[in-house]
Structures are given as structure tokens and as C-alpha cells.
Amino acid sequence: MPGENLTRREAQRRAGLLTVESYEVALDLRSATAPPPAKGPRTFRSTTTIRFGCSEPGASTFADLVAPRVHSVTLNGRSLPVDSVFDGSRIALDDLAGQNELTVDAACAYSRTGEGLHHFLDPEDGEVYLYTQYEPADSRRVFANFEQPDLKSRFTFTVTAPARWTVLSNGARRGEPRPLDEGAAAVWHFAPTEPISTYITAVVAGPYHYVTDTYRRPAPDGGGEALEIPLGALCRKGLAKHFDPEDVFTVTKQGLDFFHEHFDFPYPFGKYDQAFVPEYNLGAMENPGLVTFREEFVFRGKVTEASYEHRANVVLHEMAHMWFGDLVTMRWWDDLWLKESFADFMGALALVEATRFKDGWITFANRRKSWAYRADQLPSTHPVTADIRDLEDAKLNFDGITYAKGASVLKQLVAYVGRETFLEGARRYFKRHAWGNTTLADLLAVLEETSGRDMEEWSRAWLQTAGVNSLSPRITCGADGRITELAVVQETPEEHPVLRPHRVAVGLYRHEGLERGLVRYARAETDVAGARTVVGELTGVERPDLVLVNDDDLTYCKIRFDEGSFAFLRAHLGELAPFGPADARGTAPEADGGHNPSLSRALCWSAMWNLTRDSLMPARDFVSLVLSFAGDETDVGVLQTLHAWSRSAVVHYAAPEWRDEGRRALAEGALGRLRLAEPGGGHQLAWARFFAAVASDEKDLQLLRGLLGAGGDGAARIDGLVIDQELRWTFLETLAARGAADADLLDSELARDDTASGKRHHVRCLAARPSPEVKARAWEAVMTSDRLSNALVEATIAGFAQPGQQKLTAPYAQPYFDALEEVWRTRSIEIAMSIVRGLYPDLQGDQSTLDATDEWLAGHEDAAPALRRLVLEARDDLARALRAQRCDAAAAPSS
């Protein structure tokens, strides 16, 4: 990746020098369907004309372009010598005039890594599908430009492609495509965009299945025009039979209603297409007018309601970006949070208030914040407003801090300043900075105006410092059984000793018998400041069985329990019941907004998981809690999270000598719950997938084979459980990893499901087989060749790194460290990140791997900072796992 980086200093210098007026980009994609060349990459023609001003005539700068060949470079009518001005990633531009015109004619390479213009050949029907993905800086792989977010401009795209294709870009199509090559090809012209950044321009082209609809919004009562937005949704033809565009359009319209009502700034980009594309290396991307999503959001089989909720949340997250990120964009990647944190928060808010997914805050508390808590305890943690030195730093900062912690902080800010104050600040922000670029100071300025508060202190505490603090209750009661004092104690991590202000709710619960369970009978909100805060409002209230700090999840913190609450919760976690008749202030549930016991349970589960990860509770105890109470969990999303956590507890945090016992206990519990679950329901499907993930002994494997009707074991059946194609592959992966599915069986399954999805599953299952030869082939396919696409690299790595196969993968620990710098030097950053993270030998789970990591870090202090960060993060995860294993071993009963 040398030469492809861009530093903040370089970007600042170029932004101070240039004003970019317009781009005209012509892409000729007819080569996409031609046979690949005998050698070298498959390429397409890219011709770009940029018109820009320069504040210092005579100055020098550079344009960005990553391309195998450049045919010509013309600056202000002068033909520049390509060999002298182009170094593979930059075009040197000297002696600039006040007004300039640059034309670059190049052969750019199609991508197989999801970076730039991705080329996908569908194995099902032989069709070619193309799409672009640029963030943070890969539009330069498709056309010459000034690749930084604060050099916005208007873009006009022209695309030549096979005439039967669907071709889309950010702007609306202008007229009908013009025929070419006797009708075999055509030329599409698109309207100029509004001023946007290079990284959110987009092109999608191919024989996509395309469905349309229209969003209509009546004129406001006070006057103005009615709003009409053309909607489109598309996927590969092979997925059309599984596509449910009606649900996508429903959520889209609900989101547009919500954001128009709250932002007071009409959607500014004309049309709204949403493309579900193959081999996507992100969840989605907010290209204005042409949002792209990974096609896994088109569900090929039965999924739980949590999957539909997740898709809706992503749709709304990307929609929020149309305002936060596209209309108003951060100046440099330091303020990436200005778009991602806001989109994460506003997407969740819209999900809960505008769609059928009313429990979205539970998912936010249980999954998004879990991602943030992990990231905030890594050695690479950083403030929400980060120090981004260059593009490699930026690529790694699309993390749990920038998204989920930032969104959590905004949720806390809303509790702090008030919802309407926050939204009015957003409205002023859009109107003041439309089509521009901003920094943290611009946001704080509008929030100070609307709230009347000094936002600098809040910003320093929450946005400009790192680390997650813990909040714990300290309770004393009198002889009469009433509280004499309840205090909230705030503790900081040693590395980040910053006490923060928190707006929190403290809930008191008591057990009211088997019918009512654990009921919240009192609640108080308070501002926690400093190391210890007394909640005076709860003085004199009856002694609780459970004190839950941060009830209702208002702030960002790790929840701890007092000793009595912890003991009681371990016996009654599944019994949290609806709100009682009144809280400590005497208000009824309706006046208080009610109480969602599922959210309280989710918070308690999250707290227990954090205790396990922090080596404060043995992993086997967490597994026991899941076995005792997960079966009664009503929220299927929480249930699926518990499944993932409990499996991780056994694989990473349990003492090695207990793992087999732990896995057997989980498998036995999962099978029992699977048989008890409502036939055909989401809980049944969740338990089936979990059983497959933890199945290990021959009896379990025989059942999986029977459910598949494979292996001569006869058919098995569980009432209501439909074994669709996706579930078949789930079962087959376990069978393959346990040595119970050979290559012939997997090949026959691929013949049954010869699709792009089937190919990914097949590759993963093949690599999962417990054989030295299999692991050697998988290692070679990823490490010594770049022939695999990003999706197949991920599938191969997932199959290679299977729990329980440590003896097979141990020989690759040292080769991993030996290859790191070469991988970082020669592979694209997306593929390099997948390799460094995915093949780190953490499943060896021993001190020798930790020592080898330390040795590499000590011997490679001059390695790329981004590479060192990835290795440091992996090391920290392993060190945490080893501490947890020691904690778990100490809890083992004496023999």
C-alpha cells in the first residue's frame, strides 16, 4: 500500500490551495463482459475532466489516481509526459493557473476486493454485476480526482455499458440511453450532482432486478411544495425470488417521513435507489441517491425478526447520512463521528419511533454498546473525535468507538439537554452548513445556541477522552428495612482516569412471587458527577432485592452490582417483570413512559457479560446463567446475542480443561430448548442455529445428519423446523468441522445450491475440515495468492480458524508473524485487514502466542502504525482471554 496513503497535512495543504468546480467522468464498461486478459488485470477506460481554481497561481499539487495505465494527462491544453507525472497513485501537477482544466484518460482495473469498481461473475447464470465502493478513498481507483472529503464538487457521469443492463449513478438519468455498437451497447448520461465528496459518488451496472416505487409527502400547511421522491430497489436476478422490496420500501417511506418531520430540510438528492450487491465488504454505504447494501440483507431462507430489524436499522442509518455526512460532511476523518455517530443514533431513534420495531433500543443496548465497550477497552481506544493522521488511520477508525460509543454519547446528550433542544441544533446545523464541511466546533456552536449550556466541558469529558467508566451502587438500609443512603460510585480505568458527568436512572426491584417475578417499584433519575453521587430521591424507600444503575440505558457505562443485587440476580435474572403501580415519585407508568422489562433484562445480561470479560465472574458461571434463563427470554435478538456470548465464553474465556464439558452442556441445553420452542417460530430457528454451532458428540452430529437426510442415518424431524438451504449450510459447516462431512458431500450440496451464496458456504465448509492437508490448501489460497475475491477470502479464513482445531492450526502461528509485513505491503488494505485479524492465532489460547506477539511487536516498531494497531488489538483480546481462563480455572471445584 505504499504511495497510496494521504496524510492530513497533505490534505490541508491541498484544500487551502484548490477550489474544485466540476468533474465530468466517462466510464466505458463494455470490457466487463469480455474474456479476461491473458495476463494483467481486467481494465476499463476512465476519462475524467476536472475544472478547478487555484489560490496561488504557479503552485504545484497532485491529483489522485490508482490505475495500471494512464494513456494521457492534459493540463490547461498542455500534454504532460505520463511517465514523468504519474507514479501509480498520484499525478503531479505543476505551474497551476488561477483557473485550470485537467483531463486524464486511463485504464483502471476492476476490483475483486470490494474496493473501487467491483466485478462479480455470477456462477448461477454467468452474468456480470458491477458496483462501486469508495470509503474512505477508493474513488481514485475508478477516476482521477482530488480524494479528500473537503474538496466537494459537482459530478457528471457518463457510462457506456451493454445495452440490456441497468445502469445507475447518484444523479437521475438524462434521457434514454443512446445506442452504440449496433445496439449491443448504450451510453447513459446522468444529471450533475449537488456538491458532494468523492467518496460518496457511485455507479451500479449490470442486469439487476430493479423494482420502483414513489414516496409522496404533501405540501406543508404553511405553504410550500409537495415532495415526490422516486424510489428504486435492486438485486441480482438470481436473488429476485427471495427479494422483498415491499418491506424495504415500507421502511424507506417511514424513515423519510421521520426525518422530514424532525430535520425540517427536504431530502436534497432527488431520487433514492437502494442496491443490494454481491461480495460487499461493508454493511452498507450512504452514496446519495444510490445507497449500496450487502446482498445478505436479501434473505434466502427463514430468519428471525431480529434480522429484519437489523436490516431496517441499516436502511435508516444510511438514510440519516443523507443529512449527516452527505449534505454536511466532516472536513477530515478526525471528525468521522460527525456522520457515523449521528447516523447510528438517528437510525436507532427512527427505527423505534417510525417502524414496527419498537424494541430497537434493546438491540442498541445489547449489541451496539457491547461493540463499543469492547473497542473502548482495547489499547487502540481513542476519543470519539480521533487523531487521524492519514488514510490508513481512517480505515481502521470505522470502529465501535466512532459508531456505537459516539451514538451512545449522543443518546446521553439527548437525556442531558433535552430531545427538542438536540433536534433544533441539528436543524440549524443543516441549514447553516448545507453542502459544506464541518468540524466539532461547528456542532458545539449550534448546541450551545439551542441549549444555553457550555458544551465545551461536556465535549471534553465525552468526545475528547477515551475509556469506559463503571457505575456501581452502594446501599445502606436501616433496621426498618428502608434505604438510609443509596450512592452511585463512578470508577475509571487506570489508563483513562477521567470522571464524566452522567444522566442516569436508578431502578429498584423486588421479587413479588412466581406470578409477578422481579418488579421495578421505584425509579429515580439523577446527574452523576465525580466519584460518588448520593441519590437522595430514593432515601426512605423500601429495601430492594436488586439495584440497577443506568436503568433505561440513558448513559454510556459498564454496569456493576452491589453484592446483594449480584447474588439475587444470579438466581432470578429471567424474572424481571413489567413496571409496578408507581415509582418513587408516585408517578404511574404512563406518566413515566412505562417500563420495558426486556430492556432491563438486556442491561443485566450485558453487565454479566462484561463481568465475564473482565475476569470478575467465571465463564462457567455465565454459561450456567444462559442455560438457566435464556430459554425464557422473549426478545429473540437478545436470545441470539446470548447464544453468541455463551459460545464465546466456552471458546475463549473458559479454562481449557472445562471447554468440552461446557460445550456439551450448551449442546444439551440448546437441544432441549429447540424441542420445546414454538414450532415454526423465530425462537425455534435461533435455538436450531445455536445447537448446530455447539454440537460436538456423535449423537448431536447424527441428529444434524438426520435433519439433512444425509449420511444414511435416516431422516429426522423437529416439528415446525424448516431445513431451508441456509440452514442446511449451517448444519454442514459443523459436520465438516467435526470430520463428519467430506468433500463429496459438500460438492453435492454445492451442486444443489450452485449460487454465489452457495459458493461462499462451500468454500468455508471445505476449509473447516479437520485435516492438515485442508489447512495447508486454505492457508496457501489466502496467503500466497490474490485470486480469491474478498468474499471468498473471508469464507476461507472463517473455515480455517475453527474452534477445537488448535493442533491443526498451531503450525501456522510463526508463519503468520513472518508474513505480516509482506501482506501489508502487497495486498489491498481491505484484504490485509481481513488476513491480519482473521488468521491471528488466538485460538491457540496460550502464553506462547502472547510471547510471539510481543516478540513481533518489539522487533517491528517501525511497521505501519495501522498494522501494529491490528496486532496490538489481537494481542489484547488474547491477554484478556488468558486472564478470564485463569479466573474460570480458579472456580473449578476441588477434586
Side-chain angles (χ1 to χ4, degrees), residues 810-872:
Y812 298 94
Q814 192 55 49
Y816 167 87
F817 290 108
D818 293 342
L820 282 177
E821 288 199 293
E822 178 70 8
V823 165
W824 199 258
R825 185 181 67 82
T826 61
R827 310 297 282 272
S828 76
I829 192 168
E830 192 68 39
I831 297 298
M833 287 167 58
S834 295
I835 291 172
V836 175
R837 285 173 170 155
L839 292 179
Y840 180 78
D842 60 329
L843 290 176
Q844 304 311 120
D846 56 24
Q847 187 63 40
S848 65
T849 303
L850 203 64
D851 294 340
T853 308
D854 290 338
E855 182 179 348
W856 186 89
L857 289 166
H860 296 81
E861 293 184 357
D862 59 346
L867 172 59
R868 284 182 57 85
R869 169 177 168 169
L870 292 173
V871 176
L872 279 165

Side-chain angles (χ1 to χ4, degrees), residues 345-428:
F345 171 70
M346 291 304 304
L349 183 64
L351 181 78
V352 171
E353 298 194 1
T355 77
R356 67 184 185 273
F357 303 106
K358 302 305 180 186
D359 287 336
W361 288 124
I362 298 174
T363 306
F364 184 85
N366 218 39
R367 298 187 64 179
R368 300 302 281 182
K369 291 181 86 167
S370 178
W371 180 30
Y373 294 146
R374 175 190 174 271
D376 217 3
Q377 295 174 88
L378 291 170
S380 58
T381 187
H382 55 85
V384 175
T385 55
D387 179 24
I388 303 298
R389 297 161 296 186
D390 55 30
L391 290 177
E392 289 189 6
D393 278 357
K395 186 69 174 178
L396 268 63
N397 262 44
F398 290 83
D399 60 11
I401 304 295
T402 301
Y403 284 73
K405 180 181 179 179
S408 302
V409 168
L410 292 176
K411 189 169 187 274
Q412 199 266 356
L413 176 63
V414 171
Y416 177 60
V417 303
R419 173 190 170 107
E420 184 52 34
T421 294
F422 173 81
L423 290 173
E424 177 58 26
R427 290 188 281 266
R428 295 188 190 185

Side-chain angles (χ1 to χ4, degrees), residues 579-583 587-595:
F579 198 97
D583 69 3
T587 53
E590 292 77 13
D592 186 55
H595 170 232

Side-chain angles (χ1 to χ4, degrees), residues 140 208 338 348 361 409 416 450 458 471 522 541 587 604 652 717 779 796 869:
R140 56 191 168 150
Y208 285 92
L338 279 174
W361 288 124
V409 168
Y416 177 60
T450 58
W458 176 85
L471 298 183
V541 176
T587 53
C604 290
H652 296 290
R717 184 172 180 274
W779 178 269
T796 304
R869 169 177 168 169

Side-chain angles (χ1 to χ4, degrees), residues 27 44 46 65 108 116-117 132 134 138-144:
L27 306 177
F44 59 93
S46 170
L65 177 67
C108 294
L117 180 61
T132 57
Y134 297 149
D138 285 319
S139 64
R140 56 191 168 150
R141 300 181 186 278
V142 177
F143 60 95

Side-chain angles (χ1 to χ4, degrees), residues 368-544:
R368 300 302 281 182
K369 291 181 86 167
S370 178
W371 180 30
Y373 294 146
R374 175 190 174 271
D376 217 3
Q377 295 174 88
L378 291 170
S380 58
T381 187
H382 55 85
V384 175
T385 55
D387 179 24
I388 303 298
R389 297 161 296 186
D390 55 30
L391 290 177
E392 289 189 6
D393 278 357
K395 186 69 174 178
L396 268 63
N397 262 44
F398 290 83
D399 60 11
I401 304 295
T402 301
Y403 284 73
K405 180 181 179 179
S408 302
V409 168
L410 292 176
K411 189 169 187 274
Q412 199 266 356
L413 176 63
V414 171
Y416 177 60
V417 303
R419 173 190 170 107
E420 184 52 34
T421 294
F422 173 81
L423 290 173
E424 177 58 26
R427 290 188 281 266
R428 295 188 190 185
Y429 180 73
F430 300 142
K431 291 172 182 175
R432 191 169 301 172
H433 301 289
W435 312 117
N437 296 87
T438 58
T439 65
L440 169 64
D442 298 306
L443 177 69
L444 295 183
V446 295
L447 289 175
E448 285 186 356
E449 291 174 15
T450 58
S451 69
R453 296 175 183 257
D454 180 2
M455 298 304 300
E456 287 291 339
E457 182 179 351
W458 176 85
S459 173
R460 283 192 297 271
W462 282 107
L463 301 179
Q464 298 170 34
T465 59
V468 55
N469 295 354
S470 300
L471 298 183
S472 311
R474 299 289 187 269
I475 184 170
T476 57
C477 295
D480 61 354
R482 294 187 175 274
I483 296 172
T484 56
E485 183 181 87
L486 193 156
V488 176
V489 174
Q490 180 175 189
E491 297 175 292
T492 68
E494 186 177 333
E495 304 85 359
H496 306 285
V498 179
L499 294 170
R500 298 187 177 93
H502 299 263
R503 183 69 179 174
V504 300
V506 178
L508 304 185
Y509 294 77
R510 64 188 171 211
H511 199 270
E512 298 189 353
L514 293 177
E515 286 191 9
R516 287 182 58 82
L518 198 56
V519 176
R520 187 171 84 180
Y521 66 94
R523 175 190 183 275
E525 280 192 27
T526 190
D527 290 318
V528 169
R532 190 174 188 275
T533 302
V534 174
V535 188
E537 196 172 342
L538 295 176
T539 299
V541 176
E542 214 176 284
R543 179 202 303 269

Side-chain angles (χ1 to χ4, degrees), residues 639 643-644 646-647 663-675 683-708 716 718 721 723 727 730-735 738:
L639 177 64
H643 289 162
S646 58
R647 185 177 184 226
R663 180 186 285 272
R664 285 195 299 272
L666 286 177
E668 181 179 341
L671 182 57
R673 287 295 178 179
L674 170 59
R675 295 192 184 281
H683 282 65
Q684 183 188 57
L685 178 61
W687 282 112
R689 289 186 174 279
F690 183 51
F691 171 68
V694 297
S696 57
D697 63 25
E698 181 54 36
K699 181 183 62 171
D700 297 338
L701 301 181
Q702 183 175 339
L703 175 58
L704 292 178
R705 286 194 295 265
L707 290 169
L708 287 171
I718 294 175
L721 184 65
I723 314 298
L727 195 56
T730 299
F731 290 177
L732 281 166
E733 181 177 357
T734 295
L735 292 170
R738 305 290 180 268

